[in-house]
């Protein structure tokens, strides 16, 4: 690669990053609409697939069923979160008092007379304010729900004629074959990722709820929902799914028994799911380097916040597949992959 080309690529990447950051307010609803459309479409495919003899469920009915199912799930999750987030924020001052008490006890155990306060430890950031900001962020997500639904609706309308437009644009030659190959591989890998992640997130969340409800942790349903969403965030999500319920248990009870149970049981569940079961089910289908996953988590989390953390793996999967299909960018795809085995670029 010549110095001139390297400089050109640097300018293109810098311009793309600036556009992603500056256009966040415009791009995020469109991206969320695309995600919603894709998940509903994938669910409709699952509903449509079973056959009864030669009979097959019509696509419009499968799509309506998928929309109703997705809407029902979103309503249940939204209702659970909205009912609990205010209560959690209201109980936060009590948790802060209890946590300060535990901090004082720990300081006395190690011989420190004047224990630091929580404000000193967390640079004057209170738990109540943090939870309040989380609630505000959730409200902002709800505020863009309408525009997200509009984007998803128009994507369903566009889907009807999209393939015909591709045929007109690229004809029946090698370009259309390459495009169909890229889109097919992206669709296949993303569906595998969503299916496995959602299944394991549901199982992990259900097991976490059983453990938390059995111990009697406050707002067990709320924390189980959080565990479900944390599972979609690589690496950091598993840590949060262990630390958050364990910390709440620690400040709720007067003895360490419940805290140790939650820490060990939920920690074991998370480790087994994320490091044993998920790799066995996922295999090398995504073929992303773990270092690339961590780096993309930081980058997309910085650019798009929590939404970027959720979408970092699908975005990198799409990027890897696209880069692998062109000779110029094929070496970059090799670097992004886990083992270097990526499809050879088409001539």
């Amino acid at each position: 690669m010549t110095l001139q080309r390297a400089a050109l690529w640097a300018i293109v990447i810098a311009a793309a990053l600036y556009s992603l950051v500056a256009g966040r307010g415009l791009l995020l609803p469109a991206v969320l609409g695309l995600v919603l459309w894709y998940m509903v479409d994938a669910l409709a495919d699952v509903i449509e697939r079973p056959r009864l003899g030669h009979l097959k469920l019509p696509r419009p009915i499968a799509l309506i069923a998928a929309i109703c199912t997705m809407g029902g799930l979103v309503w249940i999750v939204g209702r659970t979160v909205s009912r609990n987030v205010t209560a959690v924020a209201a109980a936060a001052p009590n948790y802060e008092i209890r946590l300060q008490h535990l901090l004082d006890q720990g300081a006395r155990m190690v011989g420190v007379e004047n224990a630091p306060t929580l404000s000193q430890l967390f640079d004057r950031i209170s738990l109540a304010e943090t939870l309040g900001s989380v609630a505000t962020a959730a409200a902002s997500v709800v505020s863009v729900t309408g525009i997200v639904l509009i984007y998803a609706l128009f994507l369903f309308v566009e889907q009807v004629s999209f393939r015909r437009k591709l045929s007109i644009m690229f004809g029946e030659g090698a370009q259309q074959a390459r495009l169909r190959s890229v889109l097919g591989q992206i669709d296949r890998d993303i569906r595998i990722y969503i299916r496995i992640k959602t299944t394991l997130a549901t199982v992990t969340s259900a097991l976490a709820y059983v453990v938390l409800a059995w111990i009697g942790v406050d707002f067990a349903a709320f924390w189980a929902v959080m565990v479900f969403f944390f599972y979609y965030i690589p690496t950091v999500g598993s840590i949060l799914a262990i630390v958050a319920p364990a910390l709440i248990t620690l400040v709720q009870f007067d003895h360490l028994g419940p805290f140790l149970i939650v820490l060990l049981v939920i920690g074991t569940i998370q480790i087994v799911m994320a490091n044993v079961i998920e790799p066995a089910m996922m295999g090398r289908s995504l073929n992303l380097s773990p270092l690339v996953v961590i780096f993309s988590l930081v980058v997309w989390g910085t650019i798009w916040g929590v939404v970027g953390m959720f979408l970092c793996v699908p975005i990198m999967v799409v990027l890897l597949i696209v880069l692998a299909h062109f000779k110029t960018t094929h070496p970059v795809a090799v670097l992004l992959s886990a083992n270097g085995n990526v499809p050879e670029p088409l001539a």
Side-chain angles (χ1 to χ4, degrees):
M1 179 180 291
T2 65
L3 182 61
Q4 183 179 6
R5 177 171 291 184
L8 180 61
W9 273 108
I11 294 173
V12 170
I13 293 173
L17 290 176
Y18 176 79
S19 300
L20 290 171
V21 174
R24 174 176 176 172
L26 179 65
L27 292 174
L28 271 186
V31 171
L32 291 175
L34 178 63
V35 171
L36 178 60
W37 163 78
Y38 189 84
M39 294 186 69
V40 172
D41 190 67
L43 182 58
D45 287 343
V46 174
I47 296 174
E48 185 184 13
R49 190 175 302 155
R51 293 174 178 266
L52 183 60
H54 295 287
L55 299 177
K56 182 181 179 181
L57 194 66
R59 179 67 181 184
I61 296 179
L63 192 58
I64 293 173
I67 292 173
C68 293
T69 302
M70 187 66 66
L73 291 174
V74 171
W75 181 81
I76 292 173
V77 171
R79 188 175 178 84
T80 301
V81 172
S82 63
R83 280 186 170 184
N84 287 273
V85 69
T86 304
V88 172
N94 295 329
Y95 290 149
E96 282 188 313
I97 294 173
R98 173 63 182 158
L99 190 58
Q100 182 64 58
H101 179 65
L102 291 174
L103 188 63
D104 294 338
Q105 286 183 327
R108 286 195 296 268
M109 289 177 61
V110 297
V112 177
E113 295 183 0
N114 297 320
T117 64
L118 289 178
S119 298
Q120 293 172 335
L121 288 178
F122 295 102
D123 195 22
R124 301 183 181 278
I125 298 177
S126 68
L127 183 60
E129 292 175 350
T130 303
L131 290 173
S133 64
V134 172
T136 302
S140 66
V141 172
V142 174
S143 66
V144 300
T145 300
I147 189 65
V148 170
L149 293 176
I150 292 174
Y151 277 122
L153 176 62
F154 278 94
L155 282 170
F156 279 113
V157 175
E158 185 67 22
Q159 183 183 8
V160 177
S161 58
F162 183 69
R163 291 185 181 275
R164 186 173 64 85
K165 290 180 180 180
L166 289 181
S167 299
I168 295 173
M169 288 173 60
F170 297 99
E172 299 296 334
Q175 284 188 326
Q176 184 177 163
R178 171 182 289 184
L179 183 61
R180 289 186 181 275
S181 174
V182 171
L183 293 178
Q185 188 176 352
I186 290 173
D187 182 66
R188 182 170 59 254
D189 287 355
I190 296 299
R191 285 177 189 255
I192 290 174
Y193 174 79
I194 292 176
R195 183 172 65 249
I196 294 176
K197 274 288 188 180
T198 302
T199 301
L200 295 181
T202 303
V203 173
T204 303
S205 175
L207 293 175
Y209 175 76
V210 171
V211 174
L212 296 175
W214 173 62
I215 294 175
V217 178
D218 292 340
F219 318 111
F222 172 77
W223 294 115
V225 171
M226 292 298 100
V227 168
F228 176 86
F229 288 113
F230 285 150
Y231 196 86
Y232 285 91
I233 302 176
T235 308
V236 176
S238 296
I239 298 174
L240 292 174
I242 298 171
V243 172
L247 184 60
I248 291 299
T249 307
L250 178 64
V251 299
Q252 178 182 341
F253 295 94
D254 294 328
H255 49 284
L256 292 177
F259 165 75
L260 294 176
I261 293 175
V262 170
L263 185 65
L264 294 176
V265 176
I266 295 185
T268 301
I269 292 171
Q270 285 287 338
I271 291 172
V272 170
M273 288 290 184
N275 297 286
V276 179
I277 297 178
E278 182 178 327
M281 294 178 66
M282 199 82 72
R284 288 293 181 180
S285 59
L286 299 183
N287 195 22
L288 279 176
S289 167
L291 179 61
V292 170
V293 172
I294 295 298
F295 182 73
S296 67
L297 175 68
V298 175
V299 171
W300 288 105
T302 303
I303 294 174
W304 283 350
V306 177
V307 176
M309 292 182 180
F310 280 102
L311 299 179
C312 65
V313 172
I315 289 173
M316 295 308 298
V317 169
V318 173
L319 186 62
L320 173 64
I321 294 172
V322 172
L323 293 177
H325 278 75
F326 299 92
K327 288 183 178 181
T328 305
T329 56
H330 188 265
V332 180
V334 173
L335 290 176
L336 295 178
S337 65
N339 51 21
N341 296 328
V342 296
E344 289 296 325
L346 299 176

